[in-house]
Amino acid sequence: MIFPEEFERKLGFDQIRERLRHYCLGPLGARLVDEMAFSSDFNQVKSRLEQNAEFKQILEKADEFPASHYYDTDTYFKTAAIEGSFLEEEAFHQILLSLQTILACKKYLASNHEALPQLYKLSEPVNISPALVKTIESKFDDRGFIRDNASAELAQIRKRLREEQSRVKRLADQIFRKAVEQGWVPEGAIITIRDGRPAIPIQAEHKRKLQGFILDESATGQTVFMEPAEVLDANNEIRDLLHADRREVVRILRELTTLLRQHLPALEYAYQFLGELDFARARAKFSIEIRAELPQLKPYPYLNWIQARHPLLFLSLRGKRDVVPLTIDLPEEKPFLLVSGPNAGGKSVCLKTVGLIQYMAQCGLLVPLHDKSAIGIFRKIFLDIGDQQSIENDLSTYSSHLRNMAFFLQNTNAQTLVLLDELGAGTDPNFGGGIAEAVLDGLLNSGAWGVATTHYYNLKLFAESHSQIRNGAMLFDTKQLGPLFQLEIGKPGSSFALEIARKTGLPGKTIAKAEAIIGKELTGLETLMKTVADEKAALEKRQRELLHREKQLNAAVEKYESLSDELSEKKKVILEKAKLEAANLLKETNREIEKTIRHIKENKAEKKETKKVREGLLDLVEKVKLPIRQVVSNDKIETGDSVRLIGQEVSGKVISIKDEVALVEFGSLRSSVKLKQLIRSDQVQQNPTVVKVRSLGVDVMKKQSLFVSTLDIRGKRVEEVNAVLDQFLDDAILLGHAEVKILHGKGEGVLRKVVRDRLKTTKGVASFADEHVDRGGDGITIVVLK
């Protein structure tokens, strides 16, 4: 039950209806928008909200859901229901196109039934005969006209018709050329059509020279349009054929209408389904526009809203400034809220927000709340707001309010939401405040839920002392002397009348006089409330700052711990790889030395062969020496010293030195080596593997600095993808990345399939999934690495 009759207009819901009509694709959905009504049936409201949310999901995914040919065929079906009637070609064309849309929608929902259960449930009873659609398709062309081959008789008629029309055209052209040669035709004139017949323009003075019939003449009378006698019979034959064509077309249409009549019950439900989809789509479009969500729904009165926004205010301020959201909680033990505060501070907007959002939800519309909010079901919503003066009924504004209060007290129960704006206003405050308190007490005794706004102190005191109602305040910036539009539940608000008076420029003497008239007790209370509000605002600001710093500290600690773990893991990888490479180098070096010694022995140390082997050893030295760390020795190498090649483990003894070149004996092998390539063995670090690790670390750091965690393969050929993807994953795993992204785009899905097939066979991949819809959806694959 909704009260008053102007409920929707007073809250602005009529504007929402208009927006929904605008979003509909056809009259089927618009009709359901007009029929949309408040419901207290939990299952119906839940179903409507879920349908809305599911279609919102379709639109956000940008799927190609059928969005054309949402025709209203109700008039056609009423005609078809009459025995012996037939529908025209245009009607059948619209029916055919809309039936194809219905089948396409049903197919889409069937293939996505797990994600869209409520919309799929709507489609389940739809049972359109494929034979019916196929029969209609076989009779009509793409333009919506009966095909020539719709029947054998029609094909014969239209063939003869084309032949006769061609013959008439040839005759007319022939006679026209002759008339032009004779000079009977006005210059620049051509054959025209008059009454469906070809007519030759002839100058009036020559009209008796051409045998035929005058069909028309020009405005001046200087030109007549004549049908030559030679084409008269042919034109009459064409007329007969056109009549025969129409008779055959009507016969075919009557047959199709008879077939359609047999399926009318199933078709009527199918078009109800199409209308429901159009209605759901319109609601989803509006939901996206106001950033609405699906809240938790309770089957009983309940109201716990987080970040509630007035939808119409949000739309009107979009692009200008943000709407300040309201957080409103009405627990079962305190189901009523009394909101006070300054004028133009947002009290009425708060009340309208509650009424409009609750009404929207119970009409099946998603609402602009945080998705963690919870909303219940009320059986009645009563509203008293605005100027309700009635000249016709001889009622003043206050009398109208009192009449509403009487209705509320008689009809309110524990499942009623009551919304009262400026409770008690419009009469003597002493009496108005008393009556308002009594009304409020009566509503609370009936178990009503609700929100009321007021400036009266006696009501604020009543709310503080009563167990079923709480005070709430619309906050005010006492420094800037402007409203903050923030609701704070738990304390009453001040009207800040004196502060606002000062801001508007009222003389100081006048304000001082007003303070004296008001009295110290009341002004002192106002001052106390203002001081408390200021101190609370300062405390909240300090708490916010401390919370912000705590978050920063926690983030820094978390970042440090994460970085420490990452570095430890990378250190392990680097050490393992370095050890492996060092072992391989050592094996290769030993193998080369053994090979060299064996070669020298086999060749009995011939000078030429020895030189060749020495050069090979020097090549090996260059190959395995460390490129990054250079060891510089300050101690001079002398004959007899034990030395090593820089970066190698093999030790030798210096036999002699000449011109910066030393003859070094490595076991049974002697080799000439430049001094700058040697280091005394006592100057070499004990663990050569550490040197190698550092060298490798530089490479890894360089690779890390160049690595980008998103791989873009758009535009690449399929055969290129696997190699690029493998290299990218190898680098990511080596560098210890936990997650990477692959940007392949949507398109036809070929690159996505190739990427995901490859990921399935890659050992280092733990899992993969689509990116969030707002950040690219299935055009980006998120890869989690082991």
Side-chain angles (χ1 to χ4, degrees), residues 670-681:
R670 291 189 177 186
S671 177
S672 295
V673 183
K674 293 180 181 179
L675 286 176
K676 65 181 180 180
Q677 294 176 329
L678 297 172
I679 182 173
R680 276 174 37 189
S681 296

Side-chain angles (χ1 to χ4, degrees), residues 40 46 104 223 250 290 351 366 439 451 566 686 697 713 716 767:
S40 57
K46 184 173 183 291
T223 303
V250 168
I290 64 170
L351 182 133
L366 297 185
V439 168
V451 177
E566 184 179 351
Q686 292 301 311
I713 59 171
K716 292 190 179 294
S767 65

Side-chain angles (χ1 to χ4, degrees), residues 107-150:
K107 181 180 178 182
Y108 178 93
L109 295 175
S111 62
N112 295 274
H113 66 278
E114 292 182 356
L116 310 169
Q118 287 296 331
L119 292 176
Y120 175 67
K121 188 177 179 181
L122 282 177
S123 72
E124 282 187 298
V126 175
N127 185 22
I128 298 174
S129 168
L132 172 65
V133 178
K134 199 169 184 180
T135 300
I136 298 174
E137 286 176 340
S138 68
K139 302 296 183 182
F140 287 86
D141 60 21
D142 294 338
R143 298 171 301 155
F145 297 111
I146 293 288
R147 297 177 185 271
D148 292 355
N149 61 353

